[in-house]
């Protein structure tokens, strides 16, 4: 198990577009996938893109579950290699987001995104898959997908006056 530090906003790696993965079954690709999974779990993140650990490959992982901030409806671990979002719903929703690459997830802000998407990608075994994501999973996928294009969620904040610390966000979502 190799835990990678999370690259923080301001590092030029986060603003560069990631490269297409030419071969999925290589040791390098498999190493990146393992490091992403281990690092995301270690840092208590529900999604993580390869650029966040210094790898400029079009790979990200999602694993929606209970975190220190929220008790979310669980979704299995998914690996996305060379993903493409092929459909977005017209309906958009504003939800607060945070990011491990922005002050180590100590900052949350409202971001508007499509409520539903359809994504196509390859998994870590090279099998192509396609599915429709709704709600929070859809949001996580879009957030991580943005990382692959060098976009940080701070570029999509809808109201800068509503930015809050992780402590205030936790109070807001838990009603305390």
């Amino acid at each position: 198990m190799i835990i990678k530090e999370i690259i923080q906003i301001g590092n030029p790696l986060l603003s560069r577009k990631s490269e297409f993965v030419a071969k999925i079954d290589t040791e390098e690709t498999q190493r990146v996938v393992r490091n992403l999974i281990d690092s995301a779990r270690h840092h208590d993140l529900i999604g993580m893109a390869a650029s966040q650990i210094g790898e400029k490959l079009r790979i990200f992982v999602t694993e929606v579950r209970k975190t220190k901030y929220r008790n979310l409806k669980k979704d299995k671990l998914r690996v996305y290699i060379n993903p493409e979002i092929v459909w977005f719903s017209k309906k958009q929703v504003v939800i607060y987001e945070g990011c491990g690459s922005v002050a180590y997830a100590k900052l949350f802000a409202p971001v508007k995104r499509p409520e539903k998407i359809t994504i196509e990608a390859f998994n870590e075994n090279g099998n192509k898959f396609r599915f429709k994501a709704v709600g929070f999973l859809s949001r996580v996928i879009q957030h991580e997908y943005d990382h692959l294009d060098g976009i940080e969620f701070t570029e999509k904040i809808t109201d800068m006056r509503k930015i809050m610390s992780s402590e205030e966000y936790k109070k807001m979502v838990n009603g305390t």
Side-chain angles (χ1 to χ4, degrees):
M1 177 189 314
I2 297 181
I3 306 300
K4 297 287 201 164
E5 283 302 310
I6 305 170
I7 292 178
Q8 294 298 296
I9 194 168
N11 185 312
L13 278 176
L14 288 178
S15 59
R16 288 201 326 247
K17 201 167 184 165
S18 296
E19 298 169 10
F20 183 83
V21 177
K23 292 193 77 176
I24 294 171
D25 63 350
T26 66
E27 180 53 38
E28 177 192 1
T29 301
Q30 296 303 310
R31 175 189 53 79
V32 171
V33 169
R34 286 190 307 274
N35 290 348
L36 265 176
I37 293 167
D38 292 344
S39 298
R41 287 176 173 167
H42 174 80
H43 294 292
D44 201 24
L45 301 176
I46 55 177
M48 183 175 251
S51 59
Q52 293 179 276
I53 60 170
E55 303 285 352
K56 290 309 293 178
L57 295 172
R58 294 191 72 77
I59 303 173
F60 67 84
V61 298
T62 64
E63 187 176 26
V64 178
R65 64 195 185 288
K66 182 180 179 185
T67 69
K68 59 188 167 191
Y69 302 113
R70 296 180 78 161
N71 189 7
L72 299 163
K73 182 180 175 197
K74 188 176 168 95
D75 185 70
K76 68 181 182 178
L77 171 70
R78 297 176 195 260
V79 176
Y80 306 76
I81 300 173
N82 296 330
E84 288 296 326
I85 296 176
V86 296
W87 176 82
F88 295 92
S89 66
K90 289 181 183 172
K91 181 179 180 186
Q92 297 200 356
V93 291
V94 176
I95 299 177
Y96 274 75
E97 291 185 21
C99 179
S101 288
V102 178
Y104 296 98
K106 297 285 185 191
L107 179 85
F108 286 79
V111 174
K112 187 177 197 177
R113 295 188 188 272
E115 182 181 41
K116 303 172 187 174
I117 61 160
T118 299
I119 188 162
E120 291 180 351
F122 292 90
N123 68 16
E124 66 276 22
N125 299 316
N127 298 319
K128 190 171 189 174
F129 65 92
R130 175 187 178 118
F131 74 97
K132 182 183 256 184
V134 179
F136 207 80
L137 179 58
S138 169
R139 174 152 309 254
V140 174
I141 291 168
Q142 291 174 74
H143 178 108
E144 301 309 329
Y145 188 85
D146 278 351
H147 276 300
L148 303 183
D149 290 330
I151 300 167
E152 193 57 65
F153 92 99
T154 54
E155 298 172 54
K156 295 187 169 197
I157 294 173
T158 58
D159 188 342
M160 296 298 279
R161 296 168 298 168
K162 293 185 177 179
I163 293 173
M164 66 178 68
S165 70
S166 59
E167 291 79 18
E168 291 302 316
Y169 175 74
K170 199 184 305 186
K171 288 178 193 175
M172 182 182 79
V173 298
N174 294 323
T176 57

